[in-house]
Amino acid sequence: MKIVIVGGGFAGLRLARRLNNQVGFEITLLDRFNYHQFQPLFYQVATAGLDASNISFPLRKAFHNSKNVRIRIGELEEIIPSENRIRTSIGHIDYDILVLATGADTNFFNNQLLKENAFPMKSTVEALQLRHRLIQNFEDALLAKDEAELEKLLTIVVVGGGPTGVELSGAIAEMKSYVLPKDYPEIDFSKMKIYLLEGMDRTLGAMSEKSSEQSQRYLERLGVQVLTNTLVKEYDGEKVLLSNGSVLRSGVVIWAAGIKGNIPKGIDQELIARGSRIKVDRFNRVLGSANIFALGDLAYMETATYPNGHPQVAPVAMQQADRLAKNLKSKTEKDYRAFEYYDKGSMATVGRNLAVVDIPKPRLHFGGFLAWMIWMGLHLVLILGVKNRLFVFLNWLYNYITYDQSLRLIFKEFYRPKTPKKMPDKFLTAEWRKLVLANYPVEPGILQPFLPYKTELDVFNNTHYISVVAFMFCNTRVMGLRVPFHTSFPEVNLRFYVRLKRNDEWKRGVVFIKEIVPKPAVSFVANSFFNERYATMPMRSYKEQNPETQKVGYQWKHRGKWNHLEVKAGIQPKQIEPGSEEEFITQHFWGYNAVSRNKTTEYEVSHPKWEQYPVKEYKIDCDFTGIYGGAFSYLSNIQPLSVILAEGSGISVFNKRVIR
Ligand SMILES: Cc1cc2nc3c(=O)[nH]c(=O)nc-3n(C[C@H](O)[C@H](O)[C@H](O)COP(=O)(O)OP(=O)(O)OC[C@H]3O[C@@H](n4cnc5c(N)ncnc54)[C@H](O)[C@@H]3O)c2cc1C
């Protein structure tokens, strides 16, 4: 049986080892690198504590004397399931069974500026690039022209308070205490600031509250400023814009705030779950497929204990590989056993002598020196290769005794040029409030004539949507200025959903068929500067509330007749569920307009996730044919698939750019 395993990480390598020299299996292990990477210690490479080679292990060495495992170094480009074949950067490879273990990559959540300017840490090379930047910034600080530049170079922002963010900010704080003042005696390190930003209300959110509280305390003791409930909105290489509106000046922002699965081309969109993971059954088989499996960070498996998928950690990847190896070795598929994750616990270290460990059964928590010893022991056991283990151990011992990470070398080849791009300027800020969104199905053929160049229709659960959206513009400012009599007014629009691929990432946006406002000046500016399709009509809006329900309504007058959209809803707001239809409808952050056959304009709209109210009743009375044209007449004869009332929030619309 020909088994092709893509990815030599924790899952893929483990599976290949379990099937090594097993009769009846011919294994090809494909990876884009010729080495396995021990990701849990990337942060020590980035902070000059370990050499990159100490946490990398050559894949070929793992299979010396193997009779059935062949290594290929190349990149998976596409799966062709109908032919049982994959296309790779080194040619085609045929398979009887395909195992995808391509792991995950950094998720910048489609924020292009962040992607260009912040440092990810998802590969050995990225850890080295980060090391280069961290150390080079201190060299640059010696030459800083003024205090503002010095502040920027001495401020490090780590985004994401999970184990990676906690470990990294702790390690940087230790450098600041023990090493940097000796290396750079001319710099006043009391001016150096390390921030750890976390969107939730605590660090280490997946661990116990005790671990969160303890890790935060340890970090603060080391001088790290931990800001919880704080999100990063933008970073242009100099300024970090936070969700609370404040701005930090920083020369290095490290992004450890999200990952997304490395989904290969050829996987059906419908099989992609939250976090860009592939939906698999309890045997790790890709849903609907007989011979394609996905493991580790890439796999999304729902079980009673893990209804939202398993945590993306190394033990899950390794245990799934173990289970799959056993299943593949069983005589028939009837003997396959379902995967069940055995959680042995989680841990994170904050610095010298400081770590936290949670063990689920029996429920135990350790902190401090004991936890730190457990953390070190376990990582030493897990690192591949006796030589690597020895070198890591000796390095740790040396660092412990001398208080000195000895690898502060600047390798110029790991210089990652910083893009001088600035944040696009905000064109408009406002609040969008009480948004009523009536969502209908639409045939793709109807939308094709409106589709801007380079965009494609976005789809949710096999359905293309078109929505009537009515809402209030409040506190509107254009380029920071309030325009008298134009700060509060209603809008109603008809829009559909598209996406556009840029630098391997999908940007999700909307295209308007028509937007209606009561202010002629707004229509003029939007049509002239944003290529929008605005129309001016008399409009009215109203809202009423009693202790249990609220009524929100919008009216717009066309050819002497009032059109009407109204909802009656509860008053308790609730979160919009990840992966839901409501999330699909409300989380499209780009606006696209067709300028010509080969030119599109694009602008970004940023806002936090909205809350919604449970809709109890709705009324829609709209002359779709008269206002939007014959193609949309059918909307008068059907009911919407859903109607949402969202509370809304402050929003920013950024300047447009042209895509050719
Ligand atoms: C900084 C950091 C710290 C972490 N710390 C911990 C920790 O302390 N404890 C813990 O349990 N987990 C930790 N994790 C998570 C853990 O590393 C992952 O859960 C684990 O690596 C997942 O294993 P995997 O086999 O699914 O993917 P990976 O180990 O990521 O392996 C994926 C492999 O696929 C290859 N690949 C990807 N795309 C392609 C392609 N198109 N073609 C060919 N090859 C490809 C990659 O080169 C890689 O070798 C950490 C992760 C990071 C980034």
Side-chain angles (χ1 to χ4, degrees), residues 6-11 31-33 39-40 42 74-76 101-103 121-122 164 262 295-297 312-315 317 379:
V6 188
F10 281 96
D31 200 294
R32 53 188 168 192
F33 302 122
Q39 302 182 24
F42 278 168
E75 184 123 8
L76 171 64
T102 46
M121 205 179 55
K122 208 58 188 93
T164 303
N262 286 320
L295 297 177
D297 280 5
Q312 285 161 294
V313 290
H379 281 72

PDB file of all heavy atoms in Angstrom, residues 6-11 31-33 39-40 42 74-76 101-103 121-122 164 262 295-297 312-315 317 379, ligand 1:
ATOM      1  N   VAL A   6       2.252  13.999   3.981  1.00  0.00           N
ATOM      2  CA  VAL A   6       2.758  15.342   3.685  1.00  0.00           C
ATOM      3  C   VAL A   6       2.937  16.081   5.004  1.00  0.00           C
ATOM      4  O   VAL A   6       1.964  16.326   5.721  1.00  0.00           O
ATOM      5  CB  VAL A   6       1.797  16.130   2.767  1.00  0.00           C
ATOM      6  CG1 VAL A   6       2.467  17.433   2.333  1.00  0.00           C
ATOM      7  CG2 VAL A   6       1.411  15.305   1.561  1.00  0.00           C
ATOM      8  N   GLY A   7       4.185  16.429   5.318  1.00  0.00           N
ATOM      9  CA  GLY A   7       4.485  17.139   6.562  1.00  0.00           C
ATOM     10  C   GLY A   7       5.276  16.257   7.509  1.00  0.00           C
ATOM     11  O   GLY A   7       4.783  15.209   7.935  1.00  0.00           O
ATOM     12  N   GLY A   8       6.489  16.695   7.826  1.00  0.00           N
ATOM     13  CA  GLY A   8       7.338  15.929   8.751  1.00  0.00           C
ATOM     14  C   GLY A   8       7.388  16.589  10.111  1.00  0.00           C
ATOM     15  O   GLY A   8       8.437  16.652  10.748  1.00  0.00           O
ATOM     16  N   GLY A   9       6.241  17.106  10.561  1.00  0.00           N
ATOM     17  CA  GLY A   9       6.158  17.709  11.895  1.00  0.00           C
ATOM     18  C   GLY A   9       5.837  16.634  12.921  1.00  0.00           C
ATOM     19  O   GLY A   9       6.103  15.443  12.710  1.00  0.00           O
ATOM     20  N   PHE A  10       5.227  17.059  14.033  1.00  0.00           N
ATOM     21  CA  PHE A  10       4.956  16.110  15.116  1.00  0.00           C
ATOM     22  C   PHE A  10       4.086  14.948  14.638  1.00  0.00           C
ATOM     23  O   PHE A  10       4.323  13.796  14.993  1.00  0.00           O
ATOM     24  CB  PHE A  10       4.270  16.827  16.279  1.00  0.00           C
ATOM     25  CG  PHE A  10       5.233  17.603  17.124  1.00  0.00           C
ATOM     26  CD1 PHE A  10       5.424  18.957  16.918  1.00  0.00           C
ATOM     27  CD2 PHE A  10       5.978  16.977  18.103  1.00  0.00           C
ATOM     28  CE1 PHE A  10       6.326  19.675  17.681  1.00  0.00           C
ATOM     29  CE2 PHE A  10       6.890  17.678  18.877  1.00  0.00           C
ATOM     30  CZ  PHE A  10       7.066  19.041  18.664  1.00  0.00           C
ATOM     31  N   ALA A  11       3.072  15.244  13.816  1.00  0.00           N
ATOM     32  CA  ALA A  11       2.145  14.186  13.400  1.00  0.00           C
ATOM     33  C   ALA A  11       2.745  13.333  12.286  1.00  0.00           C
ATOM     34  O   ALA A  11       2.794  12.098  12.391  1.00  0.00           O
ATOM     35  CB  ALA A  11       0.827  14.809  12.940  1.00  0.00           C
ATOM     36  N   ASP A  31       8.175  16.836   2.763  1.00  0.00           N
ATOM     37  CA  ASP A  31       8.155  18.088   3.545  1.00  0.00           C
ATOM     38  C   ASP A  31       8.901  19.153   2.754  1.00  0.00           C
ATOM     39  O   ASP A  31       9.793  18.846   1.967  1.00  0.00           O
ATOM     40  CB  ASP A  31       8.815  17.915   4.915  1.00  0.00           C
ATOM     41  CG  ASP A  31       8.378  19.010   5.894  1.00  0.00           C
ATOM     42  OD1 ASP A  31       8.705  20.194   5.669  1.00  0.00           O
ATOM     43  OD2 ASP A  31       7.686  18.680   6.878  1.00  0.00           O
ATOM     44  N   ARG A  32       8.527  20.419   3.001  1.00  0.00           N
ATOM     45  CA  ARG A  32       9.223  21.484   2.266  1.00  0.00           C
ATOM     46  C   ARG A  32      10.618  21.728   2.826  1.00  0.00           C
ATOM     47  O   ARG A  32      11.453  22.329   2.169  1.00  0.00           O
ATOM     48  CB  ARG A  32       8.397  22.757   2.277  1.00  0.00           C
ATOM     49  CG  ARG A  32       7.985  23.213   3.642  1.00  0.00           C
ATOM     50  CD  ARG A  32       7.015  24.374   3.533  1.00  0.00           C
ATOM     51  NE  ARG A  32       6.396  24.635   4.814  1.00  0.00           N
ATOM     52  CZ  ARG A  32       5.358  25.414   4.978  1.00  0.00           C
ATOM     53  NH1 ARG A  32       4.793  25.980   3.948  1.00  0.00           N
ATOM     54  NH2 ARG A  32       4.852  25.623   6.160  1.00  0.00           N
ATOM     55  N   PHE A  33      10.850  21.275   4.074  1.00  0.00           N
ATOM     56  CA  PHE A  33      12.196  21.384   4.658  1.00  0.00           C
ATOM     57  C   PHE A  33      12.769  19.984   4.837  1.00  0.00           C
ATOM     58  O   PHE A  33      12.013  19.023   4.965  1.00  0.00           O
ATOM     59  CB  PHE A  33      12.138  22.065   6.027  1.00  0.00           C
ATOM     60  CG  PHE A  33      11.521  23.433   5.989  1.00  0.00           C
ATOM     61  CD1 PHE A  33      10.410  23.728   6.763  1.00  0.00           C
ATOM     62  CD2 PHE A  33      12.044  24.424   5.178  1.00  0.00           C
ATOM     63  CE1 PHE A  33       9.832  24.986   6.731  1.00  0.00           C
ATOM     64  CE2 PHE A  33      11.475  25.688   5.136  1.00  0.00           C
ATOM     65  CZ  PHE A  33      10.363  25.968   5.911  1.00  0.00           C
ATOM     66  N   GLN A  39       8.946  23.156  17.510  1.00  0.00           N
ATOM     67  CA  GLN A  39       8.383  24.510  17.649  1.00  0.00           C
ATOM     68  C   GLN A  39       8.329  25.037  19.086  1.00  0.00           C
ATOM     69  O   GLN A  39       8.476  26.237  19.301  1.00  0.00           O
ATOM     70  CB  GLN A  39       6.995  24.551  17.020  1.00  0.00           C
ATOM     71  CG  GLN A  39       7.026  24.164  15.557  1.00  0.00           C
ATOM     72  CD  GLN A  39       5.661  24.234  14.893  1.00  0.00           C
ATOM     73  OE1 GLN A  39       4.779  24.943  15.330  1.00  0.00           O
ATOM     74  NE2 GLN A  39       5.492  23.494  13.825  1.00  0.00           N
ATOM     75  N   PRO A  40       8.086  24.175  20.088  1.00  0.00           N
ATOM     76  CA  PRO A  40       7.986  24.721  21.448  1.00  0.00           C
ATOM     77  C   PRO A  40       9.215  25.507  21.901  1.00  0.00           C
ATOM     78  O   PRO A  40       9.118  26.325  22.806  1.00  0.00           O
ATOM     79  CB  PRO A  40       7.783  23.467  22.309  1.00  0.00           C
ATOM     80  CG  PRO A  40       7.081  22.512  21.396  1.00  0.00           C
ATOM     81  CD  PRO A  40       7.677  22.759  20.044  1.00  0.00           C
ATOM     82  N   PHE A  42      11.124  27.455  19.750  1.00  0.00           N
ATOM     83  CA  PHE A  42      11.439  28.556  18.825  1.00  0.00           C
ATOM     84  C   PHE A  42      11.780  29.829  19.601  1.00  0.00           C
ATOM     85  O   PHE A  42      12.639  30.599  19.225  1.00  0.00           O
ATOM     86  CB  PHE A  42      10.234  28.867  17.930  1.00  0.00           C
ATOM     87  CG  PHE A  42      10.096  27.966  16.732  1.00  0.00           C
ATOM     88  CD1 PHE A  42       8.923  27.969  15.987  1.00  0.00           C
ATOM     89  CD2 PHE A  42      11.130  27.132  16.328  1.00  0.00           C
ATOM     90  CE1 PHE A  42       8.778  27.157  14.878  1.00  0.00           C
ATOM     91  CE2 PHE A  42      10.994  26.314  15.214  1.00  0.00           C
ATOM     92  CZ  PHE A  42       9.811  26.326  14.492  1.00  0.00           C
ATOM     93  N   GLY A  74      10.010  18.826  -0.935  1.00  0.00           N
ATOM     94  CA  GLY A  74       9.252  19.593  -1.925  1.00  0.00           C
ATOM     95  C   GLY A  74       7.983  20.087  -1.277  1.00  0.00           C
ATOM     96  O   GLY A  74       7.649  19.720  -0.148  1.00  0.00           O
ATOM     97  N   GLU A  75       7.282  20.912  -2.005  1.00  0.00           N
ATOM     98  CA  GLU A  75       6.082  21.557  -1.452  1.00  0.00           C
ATOM     99  C   GLU A  75       4.835  20.963  -2.093  1.00  0.00           C
ATOM    100  O   GLU A  75       4.759  20.861  -3.324  1.00  0.00           O
ATOM    101  CB  GLU A  75       6.184  23.051  -1.768  1.00  0.00           C
ATOM    102  CG  GLU A  75       5.080  23.857  -1.191  1.00  0.00           C
ATOM    103  CD  GLU A  75       5.604  24.969  -0.282  1.00  0.00           C
ATOM    104  OE1 GLU A  75       6.829  25.172  -0.249  1.00  0.00           O
ATOM    105  OE2 GLU A  75       4.768  25.593   0.372  1.00  0.00           O
ATOM    106  N   LEU A  76       3.885  20.592  -1.270  1.00  0.00           N
ATOM    107  CA  LEU A  76       2.601  20.134  -1.815  1.00  0.00           C
ATOM    108  C   LEU A  76       1.901  21.327  -2.458  1.00  0.00           C
ATOM    109  O   LEU A  76       1.754  22.377  -1.828  1.00  0.00           O
ATOM    110  CB  LEU A  76       1.734  19.574  -0.685  1.00  0.00           C
ATOM    111  CG  LEU A  76       0.290  19.247  -1.056  1.00  0.00           C
ATOM    112  CD1 LEU A  76       0.218  18.136  -2.094  1.00  0.00           C
ATOM    113  CD2 LEU A  76      -0.513  18.858   0.172  1.00  0.00           C
ATOM    114  N   ALA A 101      -0.494  16.287   6.929  1.00  0.00           N
ATOM    115  CA  ALA A 101      -0.051  16.703   8.274  1.00  0.00           C
ATOM    116  C   ALA A 101       0.769  17.971   8.105  1.00  0.00           C
ATOM    117  O   ALA A 101       1.906  18.068   8.572  1.00  0.00           O
ATOM    118  CB  ALA A 101       0.758  15.586   8.919  1.00  0.00           C
ATOM    119  N   THR A 102       0.175  18.936   7.394  1.00  0.00           N
ATOM    120  CA  THR A 102       0.919  20.148   7.027  1.00  0.00           C
ATOM    121  C   THR A 102       0.872  21.220   8.117  1.00  0.00           C
ATOM    122  O   THR A 102       1.378  22.324   7.918  1.00  0.00           O
ATOM    123  CB  THR A 102       0.384  20.739   5.707  1.00  0.00           C
ATOM    124  OG1 THR A 102      -1.042  20.759   5.776  1.00  0.00           O
ATOM    125  CG2 THR A 102       0.818  19.926   4.514  1.00  0.00           C
ATOM    126  N   GLY A 103       0.245  20.917   9.250  1.00  0.00           N
ATOM    127  CA  GLY A 103       0.295  21.848  10.379  1.00  0.00           C
ATOM    128  C   GLY A 103      -0.419  23.159  10.109  1.00  0.00           C
ATOM    129  O   GLY A 103      -1.374  23.225   9.328  1.00  0.00           O
ATOM    130  N   MET A 121       6.299  33.693  14.250  1.00  0.00           N
ATOM    131  CA  MET A 121       7.329  32.775  14.750  1.00  0.00           C
ATOM    132  C   MET A 121       6.823  31.350  14.559  1.00  0.00           C
ATOM    133  O   MET A 121       6.544  30.638  15.503  1.00  0.00           O
ATOM    134  CB  MET A 121       7.615  33.061  16.220  1.00  0.00           C
ATOM    135  CG  MET A 121       8.997  32.614  16.614  1.00  0.00           C
ATOM    136  SD  MET A 121       9.391  32.953  18.331  1.00  0.00           S
ATOM    137  CE  MET A 121       8.070  32.168  19.189  1.00  0.00           C
ATOM    138  N   LYS A 122       6.699  30.966  13.281  1.00  0.00           N
ATOM    139  CA  LYS A 122       6.106  29.658  12.997  1.00  0.00           C
ATOM    140  C   LYS A 122       7.091  28.755  12.259  1.00  0.00           C
ATOM    141  O   LYS A 122       6.728  27.690  11.787  1.00  0.00           O
ATOM    142  CB  LYS A 122       4.828  29.905  12.179  1.00  0.00           C
ATOM    143  CG  LYS A 122       3.724  28.899  12.299  1.00  0.00           C
ATOM    144  CD  LYS A 122       3.183  28.674  13.673  1.00  0.00           C
ATOM    145  CE  LYS A 122       2.209  27.519  13.713  1.00  0.00           C
ATOM    146  NZ  LYS A 122       2.743  26.214  14.055  1.00  0.00           N
ATOM    147  N   THR A 164       3.075  30.735  23.870  1.00  0.00           N
ATOM    148  CA  THR A 164       4.168  31.320  23.086  1.00  0.00           C
ATOM    149  C   THR A 164       4.436  32.757  23.515  1.00  0.00           C
ATOM    150  O   THR A 164       5.581  33.150  23.753  1.00  0.00           O
ATOM    151  CB  THR A 164       3.818  31.282  21.581  1.00  0.00           C
ATOM    152  OG1 THR A 164       3.570  29.935  21.228  1.00  0.00           O
ATOM    153  CG2 THR A 164       4.938  31.829  20.730  1.00  0.00           C
ATOM    154  N   ASN A 262      -2.680  24.922   7.296  1.00  0.00           N
ATOM    155  CA  ASN A 262      -2.105  25.003   5.946  1.00  0.00           C
ATOM    156  C   ASN A 262      -2.936  24.117   5.026  1.00  0.00           C
ATOM    157  O   ASN A 262      -2.615  22.953   4.808  1.00  0.00           O
ATOM    158  CB  ASN A 262      -0.660  24.484   5.951  1.00  0.00           C
ATOM    159  CG  ASN A 262       0.285  25.462   6.583  1.00  0.00           C
ATOM    160  OD1 ASN A 262       0.169  26.667   6.383  1.00  0.00           O
ATOM    161  ND2 ASN A 262       1.224  24.954   7.361  1.00  0.00           N
ATOM    162  N   LEU A 295      -4.167  15.067   9.972  1.00  0.00           N
ATOM    163  CA  LEU A 295      -3.722  14.888  11.364  1.00  0.00           C
ATOM    164  C   LEU A 295      -3.243  16.210  11.961  1.00  0.00           C
ATOM    165  O   LEU A 295      -2.859  17.127  11.240  1.00  0.00           O
ATOM    166  CB  LEU A 295      -2.520  13.935  11.414  1.00  0.00           C
ATOM    167  CG  LEU A 295      -2.675  12.497  10.962  1.00  0.00           C
ATOM    168  CD1 LEU A 295      -1.315  11.794  11.037  1.00  0.00           C
ATOM    169  CD2 LEU A 295      -3.674  11.753  11.832  1.00  0.00           C
ATOM    170  N   GLY A 296      -3.219  16.257  13.276  1.00  0.00           N
ATOM    171  CA  GLY A 296      -2.546  17.342  13.994  1.00  0.00           C
ATOM    172  C   GLY A 296      -3.263  18.679  13.890  1.00  0.00           C
ATOM    173  O   GLY A 296      -4.493  18.753  13.843  1.00  0.00           O
ATOM    174  N   ASP A 297      -2.466  19.743  13.824  1.00  0.00           N
ATOM    175  CA  ASP A 297      -3.019  21.109  13.815  1.00  0.00           C
ATOM    176  C   ASP A 297      -4.008  21.324  12.676  1.00  0.00           C
ATOM    177  O   ASP A 297      -4.875  22.188  12.747  1.00  0.00           O
ATOM    178  CB  ASP A 297      -1.880  22.128  13.638  1.00  0.00           C
ATOM    179  CG  ASP A 297      -1.147  22.399  14.941  1.00  0.00           C
ATOM    180  OD1 ASP A 297      -1.468  21.735  15.941  1.00  0.00           O
ATOM    181  OD2 ASP A 297      -0.254  23.261  14.939  1.00  0.00           O
ATOM    182  N   GLN A 312      -4.642  22.740  19.481  1.00  0.00           N
ATOM    183  CA  GLN A 312      -3.585  22.545  18.470  1.00  0.00           C
ATOM    184  C   GLN A 312      -2.236  22.484  19.178  1.00  0.00           C
ATOM    185  O   GLN A 312      -1.501  23.460  19.238  1.00  0.00           O
ATOM    186  CB  GLN A 312      -3.664  23.645  17.421  1.00  0.00           C
ATOM    187  CG  GLN A 312      -4.846  23.400  16.484  1.00  0.00           C
ATOM    188  CD  GLN A 312      -5.279  24.617  15.736  1.00  0.00           C
ATOM    189  OE1 GLN A 312      -5.757  25.561  16.348  1.00  0.00           O
ATOM    190  NE2 GLN A 312      -5.130  24.625  14.433  1.00  0.00           N
ATOM    191  N   VAL A 313      -1.959  21.310  19.736  1.00  0.00           N
ATOM    192  CA  VAL A 313      -0.714  21.097  20.482  1.00  0.00           C
ATOM    193  C   VAL A 313      -0.072  19.794  20.030  1.00  0.00           C
ATOM    194  O   VAL A 313      -0.723  18.925  19.437  1.00  0.00           O
ATOM    195  CB  VAL A 313      -0.970  21.060  22.011  1.00  0.00           C
ATOM    196  CG1 VAL A 313      -1.342  22.425  22.539  1.00  0.00           C
ATOM    197  CG2 VAL A 313      -2.036  20.037  22.366  1.00  0.00           C
ATOM    198  N   ALA A 314       1.217  19.661  20.360  1.00  0.00           N
ATOM    199  CA  ALA A 314       1.986  18.514  19.887  1.00  0.00           C
ATOM    200  C   ALA A 314       1.415  17.161  20.354  1.00  0.00           C
ATOM    201  O   ALA A 314       1.356  16.217  19.554  1.00  0.00           O
ATOM    202  CB  ALA A 314       3.442  18.678  20.319  1.00  0.00           C
ATOM    203  N   PRO A 315       0.978  17.017  21.618  1.00  0.00           N
ATOM    204  CA  PRO A 315       0.487  15.694  22.032  1.00  0.00           C
ATOM    205  C   PRO A 315      -0.720  15.222  21.212  1.00  0.00           C
ATOM    206  O   PRO A 315      -0.844  14.029  20.927  1.00  0.00           O
ATOM    207  CB  PRO A 315       0.103  15.895  23.502  1.00  0.00           C
ATOM    208  CG  PRO A 315       0.918  17.049  23.951  1.00  0.00           C
ATOM    209  CD  PRO A 315       1.069  17.941  22.765  1.00  0.00           C
ATOM    210  N   ALA A 317      -1.278  15.931  18.060  1.00  0.00           N
ATOM    211  CA  ALA A 317      -0.733  15.509  16.762  1.00  0.00           C
ATOM    212  C   ALA A 317      -0.109  14.118  16.879  1.00  0.00           C
ATOM    213  O   ALA A 317      -0.347  13.239  16.040  1.00  0.00           O
ATOM    214  CB  ALA A 317       0.307  16.526  16.293  1.00  0.00           C
ATOM    215  N   HIS A 379      10.611  18.766  28.031  1.00  0.00           N
ATOM    216  CA  HIS A 379      11.072  19.252  26.732  1.00  0.00           C
ATOM    217  C   HIS A 379      12.335  18.521  26.299  1.00  0.00           C
ATOM    218  O   HIS A 379      12.508  18.227  25.115  1.00  0.00           O
ATOM    219  CB  HIS A 379      11.270  20.776  26.762  1.00  0.00           C
ATOM    220  CG  HIS A 379       9.972  21.516  26.628  1.00  0.00           C
ATOM    221  ND1 HIS A 379       9.049  21.567  27.640  1.00  0.00           N
ATOM    222  CD2 HIS A 379       9.421  22.183  25.581  1.00  0.00           C
ATOM    223  CE1 HIS A 379       7.996  22.250  27.230  1.00  0.00           C
ATOM    224  NE2 HIS A 379       8.193  22.633  25.978  1.00  0.00           N
TER     225      HIS A 379
HETATM  226  C1  LIG B   1       6.131  28.959  18.802  1.00  0.00           C
HETATM  227  C2  LIG B   1       5.336  27.726  19.098  1.00  0.00           C
HETATM  228  C3  LIG B   1       5.392  27.145  20.351  1.00  0.00           C
HETATM  229  C4  LIG B   1       4.662  25.998  20.621  1.00  0.00           C
HETATM  230  N1  LIG B   1       4.748  25.441  21.858  1.00  0.00           N
HETATM  231  C5  LIG B   1       4.101  24.292  22.123  1.00  0.00           C
HETATM  232  C6  LIG B   1       4.241  23.644  23.379  1.00  0.00           C
HETATM  233  O1  LIG B   1       4.950  24.133  24.258  1.00  0.00           O
HETATM  234  N2  LIG B   1       3.583  22.474  23.581  1.00  0.00           N
HETATM  235  C7  LIG B   1       2.799  21.913  22.610  1.00  0.00           C
HETATM  236  O2  LIG B   1       2.246  20.837  22.825  1.00  0.00           O
HETATM  237  N3  LIG B   1       2.628  22.506  21.419  1.00  0.00           N
HETATM  238  C8  LIG B   1       3.264  23.672  21.142  1.00  0.00           C
HETATM  239  N4  LIG B   1       3.115  24.281  19.926  1.00  0.00           N
HETATM  240  C9  LIG B   1       2.182  23.687  18.961  1.00  0.00           C
HETATM  241  C10 LIG B   1       2.815  22.493  18.271  1.00  0.00           C
HETATM  242  O3  LIG B   1       4.076  22.843  17.767  1.00  0.00           O
HETATM  243  C11 LIG B   1       1.885  22.037  17.160  1.00  0.00           C
HETATM  244  O4  LIG B   1       0.653  21.683  17.728  1.00  0.00           O
HETATM  245  C12 LIG B   1       2.465  20.850  16.425  1.00  0.00           C
HETATM  246  O5  LIG B   1       3.664  21.214  15.793  1.00  0.00           O
HETATM  247  C13 LIG B   1       1.465  20.315  15.397  1.00  0.00           C
HETATM  248  O6  LIG B   1       2.032  19.252  14.720  1.00  0.00           O
HETATM  249  P1  LIG B   1       1.681  18.988  13.179  1.00  0.00           P
HETATM  250  O7  LIG B   1       2.411  17.759  12.800  1.00  0.00           O
HETATM  251  O8  LIG B   1       0.225  19.037  12.986  1.00  0.00           O
HETATM  252  O9  LIG B   1       2.280  20.237  12.415  1.00  0.00           O
HETATM  253  P2  LIG B   1       3.818  20.775  12.354  1.00  0.00           P
HETATM  254  O10 LIG B   1       4.601  20.238  13.487  1.00  0.00           O
HETATM  255  O11 LIG B   1       3.672  22.226  12.224  1.00  0.00           O
HETATM  256  O12 LIG B   1       4.345  20.143  11.019  1.00  0.00           O
HETATM  257  C14 LIG B   1       3.882  20.513   9.762  1.00  0.00           C
HETATM  258  C15 LIG B   1       4.933  20.141   8.741  1.00  0.00           C
HETATM  259  O13 LIG B   1       4.356  20.272   7.452  1.00  0.00           O
HETATM  260  C16 LIG B   1       5.277  20.890   6.590  1.00  0.00           C
HETATM  261  N5  LIG B   1       4.503  21.543   5.532  1.00  0.00           N
HETATM  262  C17 LIG B   1       3.582  22.513   5.660  1.00  0.00           C
HETATM  263  N6  LIG B   1       3.047  22.831   4.471  1.00  0.00           N
HETATM  264  C18 LIG B   1       3.647  22.033   3.565  1.00  0.00           C
HETATM  265  C19 LIG B   1       3.522  21.889   2.158  1.00  0.00           C
HETATM  266  N7  LIG B   1       2.660  22.616   1.446  1.00  0.00           N
HETATM  267  N8  LIG B   1       4.299  20.979   1.536  1.00  0.00           N
HETATM  268  C20 LIG B   1       5.180  20.223   2.238  1.00  0.00           C
HETATM  269  N9  LIG B   1       5.330  20.314   3.573  1.00  0.00           N
HETATM  270  C21 LIG B   1       4.573  21.208   4.230  1.00  0.00           C
HETATM  271  C22 LIG B   1       6.041  21.849   7.484  1.00  0.00           C
HETATM  272  O14 LIG B   1       7.312  22.161   6.948  1.00  0.00           O
HETATM  273  C23 LIG B   1       6.146  21.049   8.772  1.00  0.00           C
HETATM  274  O15 LIG B   1       7.316  20.276   8.808  1.00  0.00           O
HETATM  275  C24 LIG B   1       3.839  25.431  19.625  1.00  0.00           C
HETATM  276  C25 LIG B   1       3.778  26.020  18.363  1.00  0.00           C
HETATM  277  C26 LIG B   1       4.523  27.156  18.103  1.00  0.00           C
HETATM  278  C27 LIG B   1       4.471  27.783  16.735  1.00  0.00           C
END
